[in-house]
Amino acid sequence: MTHHPRLIAVLAGAVVLTLGLSGCVSAFIPKAAPTTSTPTGEAVDSALAPFYGQVLQWSDCDNEMQCATAIAPLDYSDPGAGEIDIALVRHPTTSGDRVGSLLVNPGGPGASGYDIVKNSLDFVTDDVLQSSFDIVGFDPRGVGRSSAVTCYQPEQMDEYLYGLTTAARGTDAWIAELEASSADFGAACAENTGPLLAHVDTESAARDLDLLRAVLGDEKLNYLGYSYGTYLGATFAELFPDKVGRLALDGALDPSTTNFQVTELQAKGFESALRAYLEACLVGEDCPFSGTVDDAMNTVGALLASVDVSPIIAGDGRQLGSNALLTAIITPLYQQAAWPMLSQMFAGVMTNDVTAAFGLADQYNGRQADGSYLDNSSEAFSAINCVDYAYNDDPASMRAQAAEIETAAPIIGKYMSFGDIGCANWPYKFSGERGEIHATGAAPILVIGTTNDPATPYAWAQSLSEQLDSGTLVTYEGEGHTAYNKGSDCVNRVVDDYLVKGTVPSEDPMC
């Protein structure tokens, strides 16, 4: 049996943004909301004109929202080579003071912007934005209800995500097992997805953003992107600086980082967040740990090492190994409000009860209680990352990088290394060049960073805001991943004023 170590290259936003959510939004649609769009009618290349000139047909859907489907080119370098669907949902403005459309991306890559807007509108936007914009969620190419990546049936996904290796971690035999598992997964994705698999890169998705902007009738793009969504938004700004309206990028990625640098910094970030959790736990109630913070960190390390060698069997027969336990640990670290779930999970694992651990790992992976998967977020996550970064399959290089990651994060780093294996032999290779994004000529762009964000470290927000010629940094001094609409009145006020009025802070407000 083999286990594919889930790439922690960028945030699986589908889990983060649904963590702890319940119910649906209470929304209303003004009777006057038009049922068709009015494209901008701007001049574009003749091959793209039919796409930019299409009229969206909005229909009522659940939660008093409106839904539509746009058509985009499969390949922007050859628009006549085929078409794909882009699924959209919108919540029309609740007032007469409409600014325009606000497109929202929750991250991932692989997270559904359609679902987050349709089911949890109040989590990603506040009343101020809802009264000023038509809030538009969309599934990027390869994701969810849009033309989507398809790889495995649920039983195969279980084996791919939760299966265990027979060889010891880090050995040649262990690497070979993972390489075989990843090769099988990539081949299945290629066979079941078809030509789309070669065109799920972020640059293509950013070109879709421009297409959606024009089809919705907006001369400039107004956009709120979380986590990976910040990279998508920044890529749009680089490609179309003259079409930038107001872009708020929360939980920023540094576009110039390599896959290894992403993993190393995230390992440090999650270890820092784990330490912060333990500090709070040890002075609180119902904490399963004792002693100092260092003692507790060592206990976590011992638990990971123990299940790496001797997995714990769950009631459904699955075995909790170190990779699944790591996923269970990092999932609640995305939001401070979820830390009590971490205490419950650790208490269970310490007594060989892994129900809560699998519950958290399943939430991260989108696995439901009946063994089915909620969406294709895990498959899209891999497919998009594999064509967005360069990877190497040299064991010596991977071992050297693994040593660096473990030095940076002594407790969990060991279990976040060797991530290149998953994409090194992917059917389609990264063809671009990772580098800084300047978006020369773009209107001011807001970049929001949280000082102890484990998934997108604060240093990335600092870096992106400096790279962008018109970048402005907004710092939130706190815990958790992303800051807007998470309880900071300061952050909300700055972001709302920027998106609604175009007001750019003269200096970092240090919220």
Side-chain angles (χ1 to χ4, degrees):
M1 297 173 65
T2 60
H3 178 80
H4 172 74
R6 180 173 175 86
L7 295 171
I8 314 293
V10 280
L11 167 69
V15 174
V16 175
L17 294 178
T18 55
L19 187 61
L21 299 181
S22 61
C24 302
V25 298
S26 175
F28 109 178
I29 291 183
K31 293 182 179 179
T35 57
T36 59
S37 69
T38 303
T40 58
E42 62 200 65
V44 294
D45 184 270
S46 60
L48 292 174
F51 297 101
Y52 272 72
Q54 67 185 293
V55 175
L56 295 178
Q57 304 291 328
W58 294 102
S59 60
D60 293 340
C61 50
D62 295 341
N63 295 352
E64 298 182 312
M65 296 277 177
Q66 292 182 326
C67 303
T69 301
I71 306 299
L74 170 68
D75 180 358
Y76 276 91
S77 68
D78 185 9
E83 300 175 349
I84 62 169
D85 292 342
I86 304 293
L88 300 150
V89 64
R90 75 170 178 181
H91 173 266
T93 177
T94 55
S95 77
D97 300 323
R98 181 181 182 276
V99 176
S101 303
L102 179 68
L103 277 77
V104 177
N105 181 279
S112 171
Y114 184 110
D115 286 348
I116 201 70
V117 167
K118 180 170 169 287
N119 298 325
S120 304
L121 178 68
D122 291 337
F123 188 72
V124 287
T125 58
D126 64 8
D127 291 342
V128 174
L129 296 186
Q130 292 170 30
S131 67
S132 302
F133 291 95
D134 296 340
I135 308 297
V136 180
F138 64 100
D139 283 354
R141 56 175 55 217
V143 176
R145 291 174 173 82
S146 295
S147 295
V149 172
T150 304
C151 303
Y152 274 165
Q153 294 299 312
E155 296 81 7
Q156 296 170 300
M157 281 301 294
D158 273 357
E159 176 61 24
Y160 183 62
L161 294 173
Y162 299 96
L164 305 173
T165 55
T166 58
R169 178 178 294 275
T171 63
D172 288 344
W174 181 82
I175 291 174
E177 285 187 65
L178 294 181
E179 287 177 335
S181 173
S182 297
D184 289 345
F185 179 68
C189 294
E191 179 179 355
N192 295 321
T193 303
L196 172 65
L197 194 67
H199 301 286
V200 294
D201 56 285
T202 295
E203 180 176 327
S204 294
R207 294 187 183 280
D208 291 339
L209 265 183
D210 190 59
L211 172 62
L212 295 177
R213 170 201 59 76
V215 170
L216 289 166
D218 293 289
E219 299 293 337
K220 307 277 187 179
L221 177 69
N222 299 311
Y223 175 83
L224 174 59
Y226 294 97
S227 195
Y228 161 80
T230 67
Y231 177 50
L232 178 58
T235 301
F236 169 88
E238 182 79 339
L239 293 172
F240 307 101
D242 59 325
K243 298 299 182 182
V244 170
R246 299 163 191 170
L247 270 58
L249 310 179
D250 186 4
L253 272 71
D254 180 348
S256 67
T257 53
T258 65
N259 176 62
F260 164 67
Q261 290 169 330
V262 167
T263 304
E264 183 180 34
L265 274 174
Q266 284 193 325
K268 291 175 64 176
F270 281 113
E271 191 135 319
S272 175
L274 177 61
R275 181 172 288 274
Y277 151 73
L278 290 171
E279 288 175 352
C281 179
L282 288 168
V283 297
E285 298 179 357
D286 300 321
C287 183
F289 297 93
S290 60
T292 66
V293 172
D294 285 339
D295 292 335
M297 290 288 287
N298 288 332
T299 299
V300 173
L303 285 174
L304 284 163
S306 174
V307 298
D308 194 42
V309 176
S310 302
I312 302 173
I313 301 175
D316 63 2
R318 290 187 291 165
Q319 299 182 76
L320 185 83
S322 56
N323 291 311
L325 178 56
L326 177 64
T327 303
I329 291 170
I330 68 173
T331 298
L333 292 177
Y334 282 112
Q335 298 294 341
Q336 189 172 2
W339 285 359
M341 300 168 66
L342 201 49
S343 294
Q344 179 186 3
M345 186 276 293
F346 276 127
V349 173
M350 289 174 182
T351 58
N352 288 332
D353 180 354
V354 294
T355 304
F358 269 116
L360 289 170
D362 288 348
Q363 185 179 23
Y364 185 88
N365 290 320
R367 187 185 190 274
Q368 302 187 92
D370 63 0
S372 65
Y373 283 79
L374 183 65
D375 50 39
N376 78 326
S377 58
S378 290
E379 294 160 311
F381 178 86
S382 292
I384 296 169
N385 274 328
C386 285
V387 293
D388 266 359
Y389 288 90
Y391 300 87
N392 81 81
D393 59 357
D394 173 47
S397 174
M398 284 190 286
R399 285 194 174 98
Q401 291 180 345
E404 288 188 49
I405 293 171
E406 189 168 357
T407 298
I411 301 301
I412 66 174
K414 176 179 181 179
Y415 308 97
M416 291 180 67
S417 55
F418 291 91
D420 279 48
I421 295 174
C423 291
N425 296 300
W426 192 251
Y428 300 98
K429 301 300 182 184
F430 173 65
S431 60
E433 183 176 339
R434 299 289 299 209
E436 294 186 352
I437 287 180
H438 302 291
T440 303
I445 297 172
L446 214 61
V447 180
I448 304 103
T450 300
T451 53
N452 203 28
D453 185 327
T456 52
Y458 177 63
W460 291 349
Q462 292 176 301
S463 180
L464 179 59
S465 66
E466 292 171 359
Q467 290 174 34
L468 292 167
D469 287 0
S470 59
T472 296
L473 179 64
V474 175
T475 299
Y476 172 57
E477 299 182 70
E479 301 284 342
H481 179 57
T482 74
Y484 177 71
N485 217 27
K486 305 298 188 297
S488 169
D489 291 338
C490 173
V491 172
N492 283 17
R493 181 177 62 256
V494 172
V495 174
D496 286 345
D497 285 349
Y498 166 74
L499 288 173
V500 176
K501 304 173 186 176
T503 304
V504 180
S506 57
E507 60 182 6
D508 187 344
M510 299 299 295
C511 294

